[in-house]
Amino acid sequence: MMTNLFSVFDPSTSLGVPFNWLGCMIGFLFIPYIFWFLPNRTSLIWNKLLQTLHTEFKILLGLNSLGSTLMFISLFIFILFNNFLGLFPYIFTSTSHLSMTLALSLPLWISFMCYGWFNHTQHMFAHLVPQGTPTVLMPFMVCIETISNVIRPGTLAVRLAANMIAGHLLLTLLGNQGPAATSSILVLLISAQILLLMLESAVAVIQAYVFAVLSTLYSSETH
């Protein structure tokens, strides 16, 4: 039963090659539209969003990280497109797989750690003991902070994948009840699916924003 339930997330194709992963690149087809469309409300809203993200990430990163906001804005856009594309029928949701989310979080975390420990070693050691910690608790705090630092890429990956899976599973379970439902129950099912779809649209934006902001905060701690 559980295998059949989660089989909707399997990246399988009839050709024996997982071409579904190429769906991650569909979002890039929408990015350069500014070069062949005249400025419109959509482009103005998009530019306003990018400027807002740039301002916020610049505050989190500080003045010594000029240009780094581009990486985190690109990460936000990439996750946002993949989250939204997964809401369409018959489109593979790549961000519901740990192999995808770990591929995003683990290299970022490793690069932050390598940069921090090689260039700001004393600063990284200072982060292991929060300010004001009693002397007796310092060894325990070092262990706790080290563990919390090591599990960061895992928590980033699991948070994104779990939130994508949860909403899609609810939509799938409700959709499977349709053929056997009466007319009155069918109206309730469709209404519930519309509400869930609106909720999932909000989750798609929120999870992309949370992933990008947490990555920015982890990067700012290494400076």
Side-chain angles (χ1 to χ4, degrees):
M1 177 63 183
M2 295 303 291
T3 304
N4 295 332
L5 189 61
F6 286 93
S7 62
V8 294
F9 299 101
D10 292 342
S12 58
T13 57
S14 58
L15 299 177
V17 181
F19 283 120
N20 284 337
W21 289 105
L22 293 177
C24 303
M25 303 300 159
I26 296 178
F28 290 107
L29 298 177
F30 301 98
I31 293 177
Y33 74 96
I34 193 173
F35 295 110
W36 55 75
F37 275 161
L38 293 175
N40 49 34
R41 292 180 180 178
T42 306
S43 62
L44 293 177
I45 293 173
W46 186 250
N47 290 333
K48 180 65 175 177
L49 173 65
L50 296 184
Q51 290 174 3
T52 304
L53 288 174
H54 170 69
T55 304
E56 185 166 344
F57 290 164
K58 186 170 65 174
I59 294 172
L60 294 175
L61 289 169
L63 298 176
N64 296 327
S65 302
L66 296 177
S68 300
T69 57
L70 180 62
M71 177 176 65
F72 298 106
I73 291 174
S74 303
L75 181 66
F76 169 81
I77 294 171
F78 180 73
I79 297 174
L80 181 67
F81 272 120
N82 281 282
N83 289 350
F84 266 116
L85 287 171
L87 296 176
F88 289 93
Y90 304 106
I91 294 184
F92 174 64
T93 312
S94 59
T95 48
S96 63
H97 289 72
L98 278 176
S99 56
M100 175 68 177
T101 54
L102 267 177
L104 292 174
S105 62
L106 195 58
L108 282 174
W109 179 80
I110 291 175
S111 61
F112 296 156
M113 290 298 102
C114 290
Y115 173 81
W117 285 105
F118 282 124
N119 296 288
H120 304 93
T121 308
Q122 292 183 352
H123 183 72
M124 296 297 290
F125 274 120
H127 265 292
L128 296 178
V129 181
Q131 189 175 4
T133 304
T135 308
V136 181
L137 297 178
M138 282 184 180
F140 300 102
M141 291 304 300
V142 170
C143 295
I144 293 172
E145 290 294 324
T146 303
I147 294 172
S148 66
N149 199 1
V150 169
I151 65 173
R152 278 178 176 179
T155 55
L156 273 179
V158 171
R159 181 187 294 108
L160 178 57
N163 280 280
M164 290 297 104
I165 286 177
H168 285 66
L169 275 180
L170 286 175
L171 289 171
T172 304
L173 288 173
L174 286 178
N176 291 337
Q177 307 303 317
T182 60
S183 300
S184 57
I185 297 178
L186 193 60
V187 172
L188 292 175
L189 280 176
I190 293 175
S191 302
Q193 285 218 321
I194 292 174
L195 292 175
L196 270 176
L197 197 60
M198 294 170 62
L199 177 63
E200 279 301 295
S201 301
V203 168
V205 179
I206 291 170
Q207 289 305 313
Y209 178 75
V210 167
F211 195 101
V213 166
L214 287 178
S215 301
T216 308
L217 288 173
Y218 296 160
S219 173
S220 63
E221 289 183 2
T222 61
H223 297 154

